[in-house]
Amino acid sequence: MFEKLVADHLRSKHGKVEFPISTDDITTLIERDVTDLDQYADLTMYGAGVEGVTEFARAGKPRVSISNDVHRFENRLRTTLTHEYGHVILHAYLFGLEQRQLPVDGKRKPNAIYCKRDTMISASKTDWMEWQAGYVSGAALMPKSYLQKIVAGVQHARNIYGACEPGGANGEALIQAVVSEFAVSREAATVRLKILGHLGREQAIGNLFT
């Protein structure tokens, strides 16, 4: 779903699909589906570490705010933007249909999701809205079919068969290839490779013929 969404957006803008997707292309993608995208918001009032907020309306499109602090790191900004876009696409209906409201504390609003850096990429599945948004971020920045081509090249060059240990030389080669090709952080690349089964417990025998 998200690979097609991103590919269609790039094709409509540029007539072709190439990665890494630029930050400007991510921004225009989000702006299409929100009423407002504030990329330089002061979110400190919502607590330490909050870097993205998606606020939902009973009717109409959501509003997204990105912390001004995130702009110091380009990859972090791209991750935050695509993470909030995940909330926009996946969770707006929850607030539209059921007048859903989340627990509030302090200055937080009941119709908004507040996202911290610590859980944007690797939230547990029990925090299901954050987990889903994190998955969308990975899928948007590193679409599966495009990532598979990069992985296949590394696997062929290094005679890799099956999953690799993240801390081993082959795992490191995969991570670096994805970081370089998709302009993402090392953490984001590692999580995406694990989700798609390319990083994990290495097989005892690497080659059927050796």
Side-chain angles (χ1 to χ4, degrees), residues 9-108:
H9 177 65
L10 293 176
R11 199 172 287 112
S12 69
K13 261 189 97 173
H14 307 293
K16 58 185 178 182
V17 180
E18 290 183 342
F19 290 92
I21 184 173
S22 72
T23 304
D24 180 66
D25 286 336
I26 296 170
T27 300
T28 55
L29 176 65
I30 297 174
E31 288 175 335
R32 189 185 65 182
D33 294 314
V34 299
T35 57
D36 182 50
L37 172 61
D38 181 355
Q39 291 204 60
Y40 298 92
D42 179 3
L43 303 180
T44 56
M45 70 184 78
Y46 301 123
V50 174
E51 296 190 343
V53 176
T54 299
E55 183 177 346
F56 300 92
R58 175 74 173 135
K61 297 179 179 178
R63 179 174 185 227
V64 169
S65 300
I66 305 296
S67 170
N68 184 51
D69 293 339
V70 177
H71 288 260
R72 291 178 296 167
F73 310 98
E74 186 70 16
N75 289 345
R76 194 158 142 192
L77 171 62
R78 291 154 53 77
T79 297
T80 306
L81 285 166
T82 50
H83 180 98
E84 297 309 317
Y85 190 56
H87 287 309
V88 168
I89 296 300
L90 294 179
H91 303 138
Y93 81 96
L94 293 171
F95 295 85
L97 295 177
E98 304 172 12
Q99 290 185 308
R100 181 184 176 90
Q101 295 193 335
L102 298 171
V104 296
D105 59 76
K107 296 181 179 179
R108 296 189 177 193

Side-chain angles (χ1 to χ4, degrees), residues 73-204:
F73 310 98
E74 186 70 16
N75 289 345
R76 194 158 142 192
L77 171 62
R78 291 154 53 77
T79 297
T80 306
L81 285 166
T82 50
H83 180 98
E84 297 309 317
Y85 190 56
H87 287 309
V88 168
I89 296 300
L90 294 179
H91 303 138
Y93 81 96
L94 293 171
F95 295 85
L97 295 177
E98 304 172 12
Q99 290 185 308
R100 181 184 176 90
Q101 295 193 335
L102 298 171
V104 296
D105 59 76
K107 296 181 179 179
R108 296 189 177 193
K109 301 175 182 178
N111 62 327
I113 298 174
Y114 299 84
C115 306
K116 293 185 175 182
R117 172 62 188 169
D118 293 345
T119 55
M120 278 198 185
I121 294 176
S122 55
S124 70
K125 288 187 177 180
T126 56
D127 190 358
W128 62 274
M129 285 197 289
E130 283 300 276
W131 188 90
Q132 288 181 339
Y135 185 90
V136 170
S137 177
L141 294 171
M142 300 164 276
K144 182 178 178 179
S145 67
Y146 294 88
L147 182 141
Q148 299 282 34
K149 294 176 184 176
I150 302 304
V151 168
V154 175
Q155 289 176 327
H156 179 74
R158 301 179 71 91
N159 292 321
I160 298 172
Y161 299 84
C164 303
E165 297 279 358
N170 288 335
E172 184 64 26
L174 285 175
I175 293 168
Q176 289 303 323
V178 172
V179 167
S180 175
E181 187 70 23
F182 296 99
V184 296
S185 68
R186 177 183 175 82
E187 181 186 7
T190 301
V191 170
R192 185 67 172 152
L193 286 166
K194 284 182 177 178
I195 287 175
L196 296 179
H198 299 299
L199 289 180
R201 187 172 182 180
E202 196 160 358
Q203 295 176 355

